[in-house]
Amino acid sequence: MRLPARLSVQIGISVGIAIVTLACQNSNSVTGPAASASPASAQLSGAWTGSFAAYDSARCTNSSATATFQQNGTVVTGILQSNACGIGGAFRGSIQGNTITGWIDMTGCQGGGVSGTIQRGRISLNIADLTKPLITGDLVVMNGGAMTLGR
């Protein structure tokens, strides 16, 4: 059985209106674009000051600390320095969002991995112990610790 052309058009229009009506339900709430999966990196360039707290307080006292960073996109270089325990040297690493990772280069030493975050204008870094394998084996020669810095 074939429907008259006029009835076919009316049914087509009715189905179209029903689809549009269903598709527009709750259209009174506006949503924006999806949030970025990777937020823009924080800016570290410049001078920072703060404190260093060694993980082994029996061998190393807490002290003041400084850092100077240069940043090119997500690549970060600079100098980290504490006034106690000798932790200090050239930093090389990266930043993704607010997460910092890298290491401290100290001549003849290994270790010194660095990880941390920057939040609300404060940098919190965890620095691993450094060893000098060719001279002292696995003995720690520079205690790692937590470095907290601000502008």
Side-chain angles (χ1 to χ4, degrees):
M1 170 171 135
R2 187 166 175 144
L3 295 174
R6 188 172 185 181
L7 186 57
S8 292
V9 171
Q10 288 176 341
I11 291 173
I13 291 172
S14 296
V15 169
I17 291 172
I19 290 172
V20 169
T21 301
L22 291 174
C24 293
Q25 287 180 342
N26 297 323
S27 64
N28 59 344
S29 63
V30 178
T31 59
S36 172
S38 177
S41 294
Q43 295 301 310
L44 297 180
S45 293
W48 298 78
T49 60
S51 62
F52 175 78
Y55 295 137
D56 183 352
S57 59
R59 290 185 60 198
C60 178
T61 61
N62 295 345
S63 71
S64 60
T66 60
T68 305
F69 295 110
Q70 297 81 40
Q71 183 176 348
N72 185 4
T74 60
V75 175
V76 180
T77 58
I79 302 292
L80 296 177
Q81 186 67 49
S82 73
N83 290 333
C85 302
I87 287 288
F91 173 81
R92 290 189 287 161
S94 65
I95 183 164
Q96 296 293 324
N98 69 340
T99 302
I100 305 161
T101 56
W103 65 93
I104 295 177
D105 284 330
M106 294 182 70
T107 304
C109 290
Q110 291 183 353
V114 177
S115 65
T117 60
I118 177 171
Q119 294 180 335
R120 294 179 215 92
R122 307 274 310 156
I123 299 174
S124 299
L125 299 174
N126 296 304
I127 303 169
D129 294 338
L130 288 116
T131 62
K132 213 166 197 171
L134 295 176
I135 297 173
T136 63
D138 289 336
L139 292 175
V140 172
V141 294
M142 309 255 180
N143 286 93
M147 191 175 279
T148 304
L149 304 163
R151 294 220 191 236

